[in-house]
Amino acid sequence: MRKITRKALAATAVAATTVALTATPALAANQVRIQYGGDIQGTNSGVVTGYGMTYGSSLQCTQSVATGETAIDSSASSPYLDSTVSAVGAATLDSVSFSSPGANANDWCLTNGFLPTQVTAENLPWTFDALPGGTGATTLGKLNNVKFTLSAPSAPCYATIGGPGTNGTGGYIDGEYLNPSTLTGNDAELSVSFGAGNNLRAIDVHDDNPSDGTDNCAGLIQEGETVALVATYTLQRTGPVPPAAGISPTITYIP
């Protein structure tokens, strides 16, 4: 009986050790270190462009502003200076706007360089998940919940760009976050390059002209058409103060 008991205890100890060894990395993974986090604002540097991958239409917005916040560890002594948080939902965008000031009477964006098009972000907030595989200076990530509507009444043309879920939910864009050149720098960038992974497509495309028997907006865009995006945003913190506003957060994935 004692031998059986000893063997059982030994087996239990081995099993417990195995669980501990395999569980510890899981607990430590999927985290990021955020320095100088808090409320943030992103402003585009360069034109924000969307491309339809079937008809080849392009949508250009010369100005875009996004506001939100980074996650913080409220238990940390200086949560806005240095927080270790989950990589999932490391940052959130609560508002995103698109325009082309002076390009037309409404300051809307332009499709194919001439057609005024209103772009409205939907399904906010959009959340940013940090991902492994960066270089140290850069952190890879995925922007979730992405969805927006397009309205070009002079065409007329209306469409929703979103993910494959019901009513366009589940949309995402892969991006890259370039950390500031110094810890208290202000030059961090969140960028989406042409060809970056995403699952966005055109849904609910209509031109309000049932007599023509089509819903392709006179060849501008068609239902199910996939979309590519190109954009770069400079990201800086806006508060709370202190620490100083204008500093870019540093986001480092913890392997």
Side-chain angles (χ1 to χ4, degrees):
M1 178 63 74
R2 289 178 180 175
K3 289 182 180 180
I4 294 175
T5 302
R6 283 197 298 270
K7 288 181 179 180
L9 289 172
T12 302
V14 170
T17 302
T18 302
V19 169
L21 289 173
T22 56
T24 300
L27 291 173
N30 301 319
Q31 290 185 312
V32 290
R33 183 185 184 191
I34 300 179
Q35 296 164 281
Y36 291 102
D39 300 328
I40 53 174
Q41 177 172 297
T43 305
N44 68 300
S45 54
V47 178
V48 178
T49 306
Y51 296 98
M53 302 308 289
T54 300
Y55 286 151
S57 294
S58 66
L59 173 71
Q60 294 190 322
C61 306
T62 60
Q63 182 170 297
S64 181
V65 178
T67 61
E69 59 277 332
T70 68
I72 62 168
D73 178 6
S74 58
S75 65
S77 58
S78 300
Y80 298 106
L81 293 175
D82 200 337
S83 282
T84 299
V85 298
S86 173
V88 177
T92 300
L93 298 181
D94 302 312
S95 70
V96 185
S97 64
F98 304 91
S99 61
S100 287
N104 56 77
N106 296 309
D107 287 342
W108 291 352
C109 303
L110 293 178
T111 296
N112 292 343
F114 69 90
L115 183 64
T117 305
Q118 185 179 30
V119 183
T120 305
E122 304 281 352
N123 205 34
L124 295 163
W126 297 352
T127 60
F128 178 80
D129 297 343
L131 302 173
T135 63
T138 62
T139 298
L140 303 183
K142 177 179 290 187
L143 193 62
N144 304 293
N145 305 332
V146 178
K147 176 183 175 183
F148 47 90
T149 57
L150 308 178
S151 174
S154 60
C157 181
Y158 308 90
T160 297
I161 308 299
T166 304
N167 297 322
T169 57
Y172 74 84
I173 306 171
D174 288 337
E176 181 176 274
Y177 185 74
L178 176 64
N179 281 309
S181 52
T182 62
L183 185 58
T184 56
N186 61 0
D187 55 349
E189 290 184 339
L190 178 63
S191 61
V192 178
S193 59
F194 186 80
N198 77 74
N199 65 351
L200 302 181
R201 64 202 66 192
I203 57 176
D204 191 26
V205 176
H206 60 283
D207 55 19
D208 283 352
N209 184 15
S211 62
D212 64 8
T214 67
D215 261 338
N216 65 359
C217 291
L220 291 172
I221 193 170
Q222 73 174 12
E223 194 94 9
E225 183 170 356
T226 57
V227 174
L229 297 175
V230 178
T232 299
Y233 290 80
T234 300
L235 205 67
Q236 298 170 350
R237 75 184 310 276
T238 58
V241 179
I247 298 172
S248 296
T250 294
I251 303 175
T252 307
Y253 188 88
I254 300 173

